[in-house]
Amino acid sequence: MATRPSQTDAPAPTDYRRGTRARHERLLALVRAGSTGVDELATALQISRSTVRRDLAHLNTTGDITRTYGGASSAPPFRERELSDRVTVEHAAKVAIAARAVELVPPGATIFLDAGSTCGEVARQLWHTEGLTVVTRSLDSALYLASAPGVDVVVTGGRVARTSHGLVGPLADLALGRYMVDIAFLGVDAVDPIDGVGEPTLSEAQVKDTAARRARRVVVLADASKLARGAVPAWAPLPHGWTLITNEVDDDILDRYRSEGVAVISVKVGAEPR
């Protein structure tokens, strides 16, 4: 009769973790050296293709690589696009996301509106709102809403970030610290269910962190492309229970957010949100 192995025969959990880390490092080295296909990586590491896919998914989440069809490539250094370029990217998705965001604004609310192309679309859809106070770090949104008859606009002040036209720095933090807003609408360069929102600079991340802490509700506006971490360097944490509005419809991706207590609103472009 076969005997069951004793607990002392089984590898310790730390051994498994060390083995996984070592495999990830070898896999990453192969990808950076030019080995990009799942079959090629599985053969080189003498592991199954399913293990390779799982490891690549993990490394994609951490921003070390970029997943591609059938494999992966090294994640390039993050480069923020100019706002004028971003306006036309995923435009239909941003319109749908903004329309759903506007539905969350209660009458007579005070909101924070971030910089960026999706938040700029929110500003356009808020123009006819009555009795609304908008605290914003976006020069473009502030100028657009300045002529809206029912909207009171407050600009945070601070240094102007060249690519986003958003205000950052101590003056922006100081102004936000004087307000408590009903909703903070945050635009992002990347978003993660655990780490929060990713930005190109620490100053951009800091002002989002301040806005999130001064809000009764935090709503992140992110088209599906922003749900991949990529190589975005600076991150701002978000309070538990924040809301994500996105056009991503893949439940395998969205369940990562739901499992961390994020309220997910998925909108289909050209269709009613769900």
Side-chain angles (χ1 to χ4, degrees):
M1 179 176 177
T3 59
R4 297 175 62 185
S6 66
Q7 289 184 339
T8 56
D9 295 327
T14 52
D15 293 331
Y16 283 119
R17 288 195 290 271
R18 290 193 194 103
T20 300
R21 284 198 298 270
R23 191 178 70 245
H24 286 169
E25 289 171 0
R26 290 161 57 206
L27 180 60
L28 183 57
L30 286 169
V31 172
R32 287 174 173 167
S35 299
T36 60
V38 169
D39 291 339
E40 181 184 7
L41 293 167
T43 300
L45 294 174
Q46 296 186 329
I47 58 178
S48 68
R49 286 181 293 175
S50 61
T51 300
V52 169
R53 291 190 185 96
R54 185 167 60 248
D55 288 349
L56 291 177
H58 170 79
L59 292 172
N60 181 72
T61 299
T62 59
D64 291 306
I65 64 166
T66 300
R67 286 289 273 125
T68 62
Y69 183 76
S73 63
S74 297
F78 177 77
R79 183 174 177 228
E80 187 180 20
R81 291 182 176 183
E82 297 283 348
L83 183 60
S84 57
D85 294 333
R86 283 182 280 162
V87 169
T88 59
V89 176
E90 297 287 347
H91 179 68
K94 291 172 181 177
V95 170
I97 290 167
R100 186 65 181 90
V102 168
E103 293 177 6
L104 301 181
V105 179
T110 297
I111 68 169
F112 170 75
L113 189 59
D114 203 358
S117 54
T118 308
C119 287
E121 183 59 39
V122 173
R124 282 184 281 278
Q125 298 192 32
L126 285 173
W127 200 89
H128 293 287
T129 306
E130 294 289 335
L132 177 67
T133 298
V134 176
V135 181
T136 185
R137 72 182 193 93
S138 167
L139 294 180
D140 297 302
S141 292
L143 287 171
Y144 182 82
L145 290 171
S147 59
V151 181
D152 187 20
V153 180
V154 178
V155 181
T156 63
R159 179 177 61 83
V160 180
R162 183 180 59 82
T163 53
S164 69
H165 301 172
L167 300 169
V168 296
L171 288 177
D173 287 336
L174 179 64
L176 287 171
R178 296 294 186 268
Y179 279 88
M180 180 61 74
V181 300
D182 296 296
I183 305 177
F185 290 111
L186 302 182
V188 297
D189 281 289
V191 60
D192 181 82
I194 297 174
D195 288 335
V197 295
E199 289 298 316
T201 65
L202 188 58
S203 57
E204 293 265 9
Q206 175 62 42
V207 74
K208 292 175 191 287
D209 182 28
T210 302
R213 287 187 283 105
R214 301 300 297 173
R216 296 180 179 88
R217 183 178 186 182
V218 177
V219 179
V220 173
L221 312 177
D223 66 73
S225 68
K226 306 295 180 62
L227 273 59
R229 288 176 60 103
V232 179
W235 291 81
L238 296 177
H240 182 77
W242 55 278
T243 298
L244 170 67
I245 305 180
T246 180
N247 65 311
E248 179 60 73
V249 296
D250 186 338
D251 280 329
D252 287 341
I253 295 174
L254 297 179
D255 283 346
R256 292 183 58 237
Y257 293 82
R258 296 182 181 117
S259 65
E260 295 297 331
V262 179
V264 174
I265 300 174
S266 175
V267 299
K268 291 184 178 180
V269 177
E272 290 299 317
R274 63 172 182 171

